[in-house]
Amino acid sequence: MRTHDHDEPAAAGLVDPARPEQAIEEAAAACSNWGRWGDDDALGTLNFLTDDKRAMGARLVRRGVSFSLAQPFDMNGPQTGWRRRTNPVHTMLDTGLDAARGAQGFPHGFGGADDVVRMPLQCSTQWDGLGHIFDHGRAWNGRDAADVVTSEGDRVTGIEKAADLIAGRAVLLDAGRALGRDGELPDGFAITPDHLETIIAAQGGTAGVGRGDIVLVRTGQLARARRDGWGGYAGGPAPGLSFTCARWLHRTEIAAIATDTWGFEVRPNEFDHAFQPLHQVVIPHIGLFVGEMWDLDALAADCAADGRYEFWLTAAPIPVTGAVGAPVNPIAVK
Amino acid sequence: MRTHDHDEPAAAGLVDPARPEQAIEEAAAACSNWGRWGDDDALGTLNFLTDDKRAMGARLVRRGVSFSLAQPFDMNGPQTGWRRRTNPVHTMLDTGLDAARGAQGFPHGFGGADDVVRMPLQCSTQWDGLGHIFDHGRAWNGRDAADVVTSEGDRVTGIEKAADLIAGRAVLLDAGRALGRDGELPDGFAITPDHLETIIAAQGGTAGVGRGDIVLVRTGQLARARRDGWGGYAGGPAPGLSFTCARWLHRTEIAAIATDTWGFEVRPNEFDHAFQPLHQVVIPHIGLFVGEMWDLDALAADCAADGRYEFWLTAAPIPVTGAVGAPVNPIAVK
Amino acid sequence: MRTHDHDEPAAAGLVDPARPEQAIEEAAAACSNWGRWGDDDALGTLNFLTDDKRAMGARLVRRGVSFSLAQPFDMNGPQTGWRRRTNPVHTMLDTGLDAARGAQGFPHGFGGADDVVRMPLQCSTQWDGLGHIFDHGRAWNGRDAADVVTSEGDRVTGIEKAADLIAGRAVLLDAGRALGRDGELPDGFAITPDHLETIIAAQGGTAGVGRGDIVLVRTGQLARARRDGWGGYAGGPAPGLSFTCARWLHRTEIAAIATDTWGFEVRPNEFDHAFQPLHQVVIPHIGLFVGEMWDLDALAADCAADGRYEFWLTAAPIPVTGAVGAPVNPIAVK
Amino acid sequence: MRTHDHDEPAAAGLVDPARPEQAIEEAAAACSNWGRWGDDDALGTLNFLTDDKRAMGARLVRRGVSFSLAQPFDMNGPQTGWRRRTNPVHTMLDTGLDAARGAQGFPHGFGGADDVVRMPLQCSTQWDGLGHIFDHGRAWNGRDAADVVTSEGDRVTGIEKAADLIAGRAVLLDAGRALGRDGELPDGFAITPDHLETIIAAQGGTAGVGRGDIVLVRTGQLARARRDGWGGYAGGPAPGLSFTCARWLHRTEIAAIATDTWGFEVRPNEFDHAFQPLHQVVIPHIGLFVGEMWDLDALAADCAADGRYEFWLTAAPIPVTGAVGAPVNPIAVK
């Protein structure tokens, strides 16, 4: 498996910091997959992840060792309330204390504990669904955002549509290790297509990226946050993909991408006045599934140790009907 | 792979309907795994699911076809409020309507939708964690339930401990098809160890069950509920495992079991006055992971069609810290 | 204090069951208060409830006996999930069990219990805010509903605007007692302006209704639901105000009205195909505050006993910022 | 109305900072109301607030001007997640955008907005219920805390028991104005019984405090937080009542007390190692209702302007069944 040629103009030369609208428009036009899978499509790039690809991916399992790529879901997470995004709140409905007291009303010594969680679907390790981001009121496949996502939820591209599909070959691109210091990229570091190709080449034969693959890009920011405190992890400065990666993400025909950061793309964004411009291209125009806040550190250490950067990944979102994203516990098996 | 001999006394003969306490006590004594994996163990029967088992399981993937075994997570679920168990409530924080209106305050045409869910962790497709059920105030491995699960959650055996492990070989035992009419067992049907062995034998070579396997038992009740309405699905009468399966579940050394019913065991329970007595043995004493409310119908149809009842399963719970159970989107790949 | 003349055409003659749109349009035109209190108004009929009115209301207190007019806020309420309206869910964050165990980490024997509630703001005893109902996309005072209530909430007429105002003279009109059997009106009973005037006259001098008053109309349905079970209390058939009351509600210049039913107006509604047409007139056009699901039974018994139907009422909504309604514990003092 | 003599030993002399346990034990013994209102009592000091007191309180209304003493209930509040106490989260179920779009499925131009709130009951303006605090595992009236407050809530002294009672005469003691600079006491300032008596005397004849009164103590901290940011408002340093006020709170036989701070008593607490020791005496032993996070600033300005410090107060908690506290929108009318 090999990656495509990379013939994009140099990233730095392409972005005029003063003109995000123009850049977004051009990238959207160049990368659009609208209509590619029919008018009714609700899967976007998951169409690339066929049964054949999945069968090949399963063959990558050798040792059987498994890694959870999820962060803990609890109140110690990074959210600070912006956009009413809070950390998950877990509360008990019944406890061992109640059971031990014998006050639960059950017969023959039976006791039970129950619990409940309340969480924004964007609060921790997650998939962005196709209804999560819009460009000038347009959702994936050219639909009117106002028709797609109402107060009742995403009626067309809800995350439940992807419930059974996200299992296949995945590749870790350890940008933190390849380009950073002590395995970490600094905040504001923009990973360009050239960087991605360099990493792929450096990581060797198991790191090729192509159609239907799930690409995991580790920046090292999560490792830093774990060590130094969350700080602005949930929305502040971060390493991440350059806006100039849009064409690469389109051309490689990957099924999905995920990072260990809050927002997948570099922060601050590369335009003078901007907010997540790469999202604005890749979700509504490419139809790309984007994963955020994944914990790639243990997996990365294993990949560095054995030199194998490809593996089997199952990353099945909880199918909350009509959700524009969902929590996920991604499991990589090598 | 073959199953163990089954030398239990006949199920029907064992259960004295008037004496649940005695039956539970005897089964607990016979099946206890307390101390088997050390005093600090928080994994129970997941200890059987080793990397080797996982590597063998991955080799079962042939066609690459994947099945989600999750029910939809929404307000159309079966919960009616008993024990404050409600259906998941999904609400929006931002919508396509807001985005299309241009009132979100983002630059350059960017728009977004966000959402939130509130759900009991036992409300839909789930794993019971080891802190979910107690026997006379004792939790898994003999711990005092009051020390394990407080209002802060399960401080010892929280579901996050199992976050990376539940991926391996799984076997579907289609009891509905083997023993029922039109693929469905009637409510109150108790599946005995003899039944399980009969199904295994009938399904052929791919259906053997042994150490480290994840066993999925389909009763057909979910298919019936989907057709006829939920009725008492969440706690009422149901087909399910007989109390007499306790020793079988212990002896086979399976890693986990899941069913398409609310409560895994037969309802009404087989004692005159009882509540989930099999839970009371298998969770605190065997340390068994129990999955409930799984949707096995599409998978079962595929198994019936190709005659292969074993497959690769990833069923990774959302790692809510300290949870006594968790929602899961199990993915079977054949 | 006396009530206005009532010169409306007979109610029954006015409503053409086949033409709700026309009736709503006519009533809206006849009753509109748009612009009455300026373009920026966010208070509607609460403008009638002046300090003077409030001072007069306080003088009605004689015995000092107080009545809570709130239903219990718990899972035993009437909600069934329609429009995602659930009953309040109350869960504990800490309990006396934790405290008694000494496991909370506090010094010197201190222990504490904490708790949390999750509830739709329309789930139980409540005020409808002015942003709760729209007519053809128009909110109170003629505003565009899409400008007023977004996913961020009601940015103009949020319930917090009424936080300090709803205290004043109130009058109970016991329609159940006056018109019903054993104090209860049957479901589907439409209370007309004539009925209201008849009740006022029958109840005597303390029951006059005028500018700035808060009118409580008891139908007896809650008493029935308490005795017989909720049934369709939350949205099904109910006694309530006739659509023909719109002009009366406008002309009397009352500050607010509340009933012991889910929806204030008669159900089924009086048109062939309709949904809460009286709401559609009184909230966006009159700017009237409507209270629902109040418990008027104990207060009504006291009024019947002492013959005094006027009293001091404080009904202050919890000021959830931007809410289109809010729970309230109304306190009547006689 | 006059206040009692104050014959307590000097506050400063009483508290040995190294011995909180002894001080709490002595104060509890001196102040206990256990058994005073019978074994079944669930009302504590609200027993002092009789109908007669209430009738007298209502006579204090002169101008009819009303004040809400509630803070806004929203995500801009002071909570930071400690003990899983978050700020209220308000989300929409339906909006004006949906209504204006005509996509709600209602007939004849009807549109509606609905919403939901999720909040800890201790998150904002609130009453502490009698089940909120325990002393060495004992709740109000000497009950075992483990019997009173389980995972199901407060089964004995739930806030619903107080639903109809908290309306009566209230007195504002403006400690910030009397003792502070620019109306504000500094954090850590302990208000002693002598201070309280000095303020009462200085405020004149309307400020006397006695049986059945509701006492509001303004420190000015909320004004400071509003100006300078929340900082540690929710649990950090604060002005508040000295531990030495316990006997005063008992002897005056007030019905309730509330402050404009998070925790009513001075923070840091006056012992070397302590947590809310005054709570530990007044709630379980005196049975006193304590209000926290009230906004007293506008009311205080009015009192300073007209020299009248007494008024009518209705402060009815939302009756969440079994709650150990509850949000409240207190309304003062002068």
Side-chain angles (χ1 to χ4, degrees), chain D residues 1-3 169 171 173 200 207-210 213 215 248 252 254:
Chain D
M1 191 178 301
R2 63 179 299 280
T3 56
R169 177 182 185 259
V171 176
L173 303 184
I200 290 168
V209 168
D213 288 334
V215 177
W248 188 93
T252 51
I254 61 174

Side-chain angles (χ1 to χ4, degrees), chain C residues 51 66 84 127 142 161 191 202 211 213 259 265 319 330:
Chain C
D51 288 357
S66 59
R84 286 175 286 174
W127 282 118
K161 300 289 169 53
I191 302 168
R211 176 179 288 200
D213 288 336
T259 67
E265 54 187 299

Side-chain angles (χ1 to χ4, degrees), chain A residues 59-210:
Chain A
R59 286 178 211 132
L60 299 174
V61 174
R62 306 279 173 96
R63 290 178 286 144
V65 61
S66 59
F67 301 87
S68 166
L69 310 183
Q71 295 190 26
F73 280 68
D74 58 38
M75 287 200 68
N76 298 318
Q79 301 297 338
T80 58
W82 179 72
R83 297 190 78 193
R84 287 176 285 173
R85 286 184 185 168
T86 58
N87 291 308
V89 185
H90 171 233
T91 55
M92 301 306 296
L93 294 168
D94 257 314
T95 69
L97 289 157
D98 298 88
R101 186 84 173 181
Q104 296 184 311
F106 294 118
H108 54 67
F110 181 96
D114 258 34
D115 42 8
V116 62
V117 74
R118 197 268 183 198
M119 58 179 165
L121 296 172
Q122 288 73 35
C123 71
S124 187
T125 307
Q126 101 217 234
W127 282 117
D128 287 352
L130 294 182
H132 180 47
I133 302 295
F134 315 110
D135 178 20
H136 290 87
R138 289 289 140 186
W140 161 240
N141 225 23
R143 299 181 182 100
D144 187 336
D147 288 334
V148 175
V149 185
T150 71
S151 288
E152 293 192 358
D154 185 332
R155 303 183 296 183
V156 180
T157 45
I159 200 72
E160 73 277 11
K161 300 288 169 53
D164 57 345
L165 295 175
I166 315 182
R169 176 183 185 260
V171 177
L172 176 74
L173 303 184
D174 193 344
R177 183 163 171 270
L179 310 174
R181 183 171 174 168
D182 293 333
E184 298 173 19
L185 294 177
D187 293 339
F189 187 102
I191 302 168
T192 65
D194 279 348
H195 288 137
L196 294 174
E197 293 294 343
T198 300
I199 298 165
I200 291 168
Q203 290 184 173
T206 62
V209 168

Side-chain angles (χ1 to χ4, degrees), chain A:
Chain A
M1 191 177 301
R2 64 180 296 281
T3 57
H4 296 254
D5 293 331
H6 56 110
D7 52 6
E8 284 93 353
L14 264 190
V15 173
D16 177 351
R19 305 184 64 184
E21 291 252 12
Q22 184 190 36
I24 292 165
E25 186 179 342
E26 288 174 4
C31 298
S32 175
N33 283 330
W34 289 4
R36 184 169 183 167
W37 297 287
D39 288 349
D40 295 338
D41 183 69
L43 297 178
T45 53
L46 292 183
N47 283 290
F48 293 129
L49 182 40
T50 58
D51 288 357
D52 281 352
K53 295 284 182 189
R54 205 173 283 115
M56 286 190 287
R59 286 178 211 132
L60 299 174
V61 174
R62 306 279 173 96
R63 290 178 286 144
V65 61
S66 59
F67 301 87
S68 166
L69 310 183
Q71 295 190 26
F73 280 68
D74 58 38
M75 287 200 68
N76 298 318
Q79 301 297 338
T80 58
W82 179 72
R83 297 190 78 193
R84 287 176 285 173
R85 286 184 185 168
T86 58
N87 291 308
V89 185
H90 171 233
T91 55
M92 301 306 296
L93 294 168
D94 257 314
T95 69
L97 289 157
D98 298 88
R101 186 84 173 181
Q104 296 184 311
F106 294 118
H108 54 67
F110 181 96
D114 258 34
D115 42 8
V116 62
V117 74
R118 197 268 183 198
M119 58 179 165
L121 296 172
Q122 288 73 35
C123 71
S124 187
T125 307
Q126 101 217 234
W127 282 117
D128 287 352
L130 294 182
H132 180 47
I133 302 295
F134 315 110
D135 178 20
H136 290 87
R138 289 289 140 186
W140 161 240
N141 225 23
R143 299 181 182 100
D144 187 336
D147 288 334
V148 175
V149 185
T150 71
S151 288
E152 293 192 358
D154 185 332
R155 303 183 296 183
V156 180
T157 45
I159 200 72
E160 73 277 11
K161 300 288 169 53
D164 57 345
L165 295 175
I166 315 182
R169 176 183 185 260
V171 177
L172 176 74
L173 303 184
D174 193 344
R177 183 163 171 270
L179 310 174
R181 183 171 174 168
D182 293 333
E184 298 173 19
L185 294 177
D187 293 339
F189 187 102
I191 302 168
T192 65
D194 279 348
H195 288 137
L196 294 174
E197 293 294 343
T198 300
I199 298 165
I200 291 168
Q203 290 184 173
T206 62
V209 168
R211 176 180 288 200
D213 288 335
I214 302 162
V215 177
L216 312 183
V217 180
R218 182 185 168 279
T219 69
Q221 193 202 18
L222 177 59
R224 184 161 61 250
R226 248 192 298 241
R227 185 183 62 239
D228 298 342
W230 287 118
Y233 182 84
L241 266 66
S242 167
F243 179 79
T244 60
C245 290
R247 286 168 176 80
W248 188 92
L249 294 167
H250 176 251
R251 194 191 52 205
T252 50
E253 300 185 334
I254 60 173
I257 188 167
T259 67
D260 58 347
T261 64
W262 166 82
F264 149 69
E265 53 186 300
V266 64
R267 301 269 301 161
N269 303 123
E270 296 153 293
F271 299 95
D272 293 339
H273 179 54
F275 185 74
Q276 302 297 73
L278 186 55
H279 276 74
Q280 196 173 340
V281 174
V282 302
I283 294 180
H285 294 283
I286 300 182
L288 182 66
F289 277 73
V290 177
E292 291 162 339
M293 299 181 60
W294 292 33
D295 180 356
L296 305 173
D297 289 347
L299 175 65
D302 190 87
C303 292
D306 76 357
R308 298 186 60 82
Y309 287 87
E310 63 182 347
F311 38 87
W312 170 249
L313 178 75
T314 305
I318 296 297
V320 178
T321 306
V324 297
V328 59
N329 181 1
I331 301 291
V333 187
K334 297 184 68 173

